[in-house]
């Protein structure tokens, strides 16, 4: 190193045996650098504990090396819910090795708060792009982000075939299909579905698959698709309502927290799970294995979805080759909360 | 507005009836501006939908208006755990109204990954300060951040009276104390504590309080403080071990996930909760109300802690007056998982 000062880009270049411009290209994620060279440069930088200075960063065509997420807090629900923590785990697996960070903004439900947050991100140039979750019916975010010129990737299926880049699992119907078939095989005929809010795109998708599978097997769904609100309290009320009428022998839930709340509500009413009622959740959060009985649930590859979304966005920014991450299809994980119909 | 273009800082100043320099001071969080003026400027900016341009932002003495958090993923645990989502909720309540964002970096457990992340944040000037959680025995982060010149605030009690600014609840002992007294009142004498990992400062603190309260009441803690690892799987094993020996009639757990896993493990072994075993969790996560029986637990004001930490850091950065947020003391929430000793 030149003297005893901080290491410089030249020190890194000479240790790696490459030109300063090659180091700069690696730092700025430019193309035309072989994997071997990139690895040598990164190893040299690590060895010397060199990081690009703020000036070098500023020279990177205003790249902030941050991706943004704006989360909306629901009534009674934090902005960052348990599935979110798994998604972030996946996102960070792609960001961290590349020195990218994830900039979070959690906004309340007030009219315009979300739009204002995106506008600020764009106008202040704080992020290179944003990741979106929770695809909505009539979603206005996609058009807004195009107006703002902010690259964006959605985790999920866009409403109305919007052209926003998006990632989803292969065979997205598989999990719900397996869940209904599992119940039918166990002799269940009165199957209820406590689905998510109608404002979410996936609610309609999953409802359709639920009815389709019943139809294919010659059953008409009982009048038992109950609109939920994604809150555990709502699920407990829904279950009490369902159990007050002609009883279903099985209930599917829109997510695991709703399923656990519903299962507890049933047991509180003296209904044994799974002997008198089978219960299936959705997502396979860590929670599902903690409870007793352990929850049968549709596993979603949330970590894979987060990784895939981050990668598609990084590829759009020219940071990585567009090598897709495989997102596993949803699949039923059979545990203890389902059994033969009585 | 001058013409039909974007609003400028002069438009805001003239609508607010103040000088451009006053608007600039408000934007840059400088002192010497009255509350009334600040409110007029913010109202005018909101009305015109004006946000400071990237250039103005660059002029803010390198203020990034972002705070950072580096989270370490544990083996089998995501970096962003359920208590974290409540903390973030509190943090964002302070950041969002001020246009601040939270920059997350989740790192793996490899040697040096965490230090490297802090170094990058500091050297690239990406955040104005950082928030720390999970105070550790022999914590090396505080000295590192001082070396790096990065303002930092810890949620929790620093190891070895380190002078890092920190926030904690008033009466931090109250919750554990109430939990033990609740059990003693119900006739429990063999009380076990499945505590957190010894690497965490709060583990030692809570263990000491646990033993103290037993001692004050004339009881010697049975050889039943079991070191846990904060994983549900570890808790299940711990409970099985405890129930194999001379049985405790009550178990305290270091967190709610461990308590729920322990409760399920007990019931799987045919032990009824609370008839044969009382169970108490820690934190009062949403999970505690979902399960059956509902969990008796020590509530932590995680949202308040997040708010307080963000506020102390924003005050150090000159963004807010140093008006402290009140963090509620931990308190026992009695639900269904505790009852009289058999």
């Amino acid at each position: 190193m030149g003297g005893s000062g901080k290491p410089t880009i030249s020190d890194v270049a000479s240790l790696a045996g490459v030109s300063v411009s090659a180091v700069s290209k690696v730092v700025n994620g430019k193309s035309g650098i072989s994997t071997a060279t990139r690895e040598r440069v990164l190893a040299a930088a690590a060895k010397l504990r060199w990081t690009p200075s703020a000036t070098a960063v500023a020279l990177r065509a205003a790249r902030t090396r941050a991706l943004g997420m704006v989360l909306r807090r629901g009534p009674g629900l934090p902005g960052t819910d348990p599935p979110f923590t798994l998604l972030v785990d996946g996102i960070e697996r792609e960001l961290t090795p590349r020195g990218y960070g994830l900039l979070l903004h959690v906004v309340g439900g007030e009219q315009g708060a979300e739009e204002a947050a995106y506008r600020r991100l764009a106008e202040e140039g704080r992020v290179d792009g944003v990741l979106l979750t929770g695809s909505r019916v009539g979603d206005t975010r996609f058009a807004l982000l195009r107006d703002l010129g902010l690259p964006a990737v959605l985790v999920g299926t866009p409403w109305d075939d919007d052209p926003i880049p998006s990632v989803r699992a292969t065979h997205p119907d598989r999990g719900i299909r397996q869940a209904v078939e599992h119940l039918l095989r166990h002799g269940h005929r009165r199957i209820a579905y406590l689905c998510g809010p109608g404002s979410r795109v996936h609610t309609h998708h999953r409802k359709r698959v639920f009815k389709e599978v019943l139809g294919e097997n010659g059953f008409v769904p009982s009048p038992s698709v109950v609109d939920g609100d994604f809150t555990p309290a709502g699920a407990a009320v829904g279950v009490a309502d369902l159990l007050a009428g002609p009883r279903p022998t099985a209930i599917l839930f829109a997510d695991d927290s709703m399923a656990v709340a519903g299962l507890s509500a049933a047991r509180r009413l003296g209904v044994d799970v799974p002997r008198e009622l089978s219960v299936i959740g959705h997502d396979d959060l860590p929670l599902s294995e903690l409870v007793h009985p352990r929850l049968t649930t549709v596993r979603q590859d949330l970590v894979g979805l987060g990784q895939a979304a981050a990668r598609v966005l990084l590829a759009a920014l020219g940071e990585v080759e567009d090598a897709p991450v495989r997102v596993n299809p949803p699949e039923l994980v059979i545990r203890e909360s389902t059994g033969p119909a009585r």
Side-chain angles (χ1 to χ4, degrees), chain A:
Chain A
M1 242 183 274
S4 60
K6 280 190 164 189
T8 66
I9 191 167
S10 315
D11 297 326
V12 175
S14 86
L15 180 60
V18 301
S19 67
V20 166
S21 117
V23 176
S24 165
K25 277 183 179 169
V26 170
V27 166
N28 295 315
K30 295 273 193 279
S31 56
I33 294 287
S34 73
T35 305
T37 301
R38 195 166 58 235
E39 282 171 0
R40 270 212 316 285
V41 168
L42 293 176
K47 190 153 182 204
L48 297 175
R49 280 189 161 177
W50 175 83
T51 49
S53 70
T55 327
V57 171
L59 290 174
R60 273 180 213 171
R63 272 291 155 81
T64 63
R65 294 188 100 71
L67 303 184
M69 280 184 94
V70 174
L71 306 168
R72 201 163 59 170
R73 217 184 348 251
L77 291 172
T80 53
D81 57 359
F84 168 78
T85 68
L86 292 174
L87 266 183
V88 165
D89 227 44
I91 293 168
E92 292 276 3
R93 279 175 208 210
E94 295 294 322
L95 300 194
T96 305
R98 298 179 178 91
Y100 265 74
L102 184 64
L103 189 70
L104 282 190
H105 281 282
V106 180
V107 299
E110 324 87 68
Q111 183 72 25
E114 193 176 35
E115 182 177 331
Y118 285 118
R119 284 190 184 279
R120 264 204 314 273
L121 283 179
E123 289 166 15
E124 298 178 358
R126 307 191 61 153
V127 295
D128 301 332
V130 297
L131 296 165
L132 305 173
T133 63
S135 182
R136 303 174 199 150
V137 172
D139 213 315
T140 57
R141 294 174 294 176
F142 314 145
L144 171 67
L145 290 165
R146 277 191 289 269
D147 277 0
L148 295 172
L150 209 52
V153 172
L154 170 73
V155 178
T157 307
W159 171 247
D160 209 15
D161 295 325
D162 189 281
I164 187 172
S166 63
V167 296
R168 72 204 87 174
T170 51
H171 308 291
D173 301 353
R174 189 179 288 173
I176 301 279
R177 177 167 288 276
Q178 288 175 344
V180 178
E181 286 169 353
H182 168 67
L183 293 173
L184 290 173
R185 257 200 317 280
H186 277 81
H188 293 275
R189 296 298 175 261
R190 295 194 62 84
I191 304 174
Y193 185 20
L194 236 160
C195 64
S199 57
R200 294 299 188 90
V201 170
H202 68 55
T203 297
H204 300 275
H205 175 76
R206 293 180 193 167
K207 250 167 143 166
R208 186 179 51 68
V209 176
F210 173 73
K211 290 180 180 169
E212 245 172 48
V213 181
L214 283 177
E216 287 165 17
N217 286 272
F219 298 102
V220 183
S222 18
S224 54
V225 175
V226 179
D227 287 327
D229 59 0
F230 266 157
T231 68
V237 171
V239 166
D241 284 353
L242 282 171
L243 295 180
R247 278 198 183 175
T249 60
I251 309 181
L252 250 77
F253 288 84
D255 71 24
D256 289 336
S257 295
M258 288 173 71
V260 170
L263 189 157
S264 300
R267 297 186 51 211
R268 221 173 289 283
L269 294 165
V271 175
D272 186 82
V273 176
R275 212 165 42 82
E276 297 172 285
L277 181 72
S278 284
V279 163
I280 300 185
H282 199 285
D283 287 351
D284 194 27
L285 300 183
L287 166 66
S288 357
E289 280 205 288
L290 293 186
V291 293
H292 177 72
R294 291 191 185 98
L295 198 62
T296 296
T297 186
V298 174
R299 176 177 294 162
Q300 276 217 85
D301 184 5
L302 291 163
V303 172
L305 282 165
Q307 276 195 278
R311 238 190 131 79
V312 170
L313 190 47
L314 289 172
L317 298 170
E319 285 288 331
V320 297
E321 300 288 310
D322 191 6
V325 172
R326 184 180 151 72
V327 181
N328 295 316
E331 55 168 352
L332 185 69
V333 182
I334 299 171
R335 296 203 181 95
E336 301 167 346
S337 66
T338 47
R342 226 189 170 172

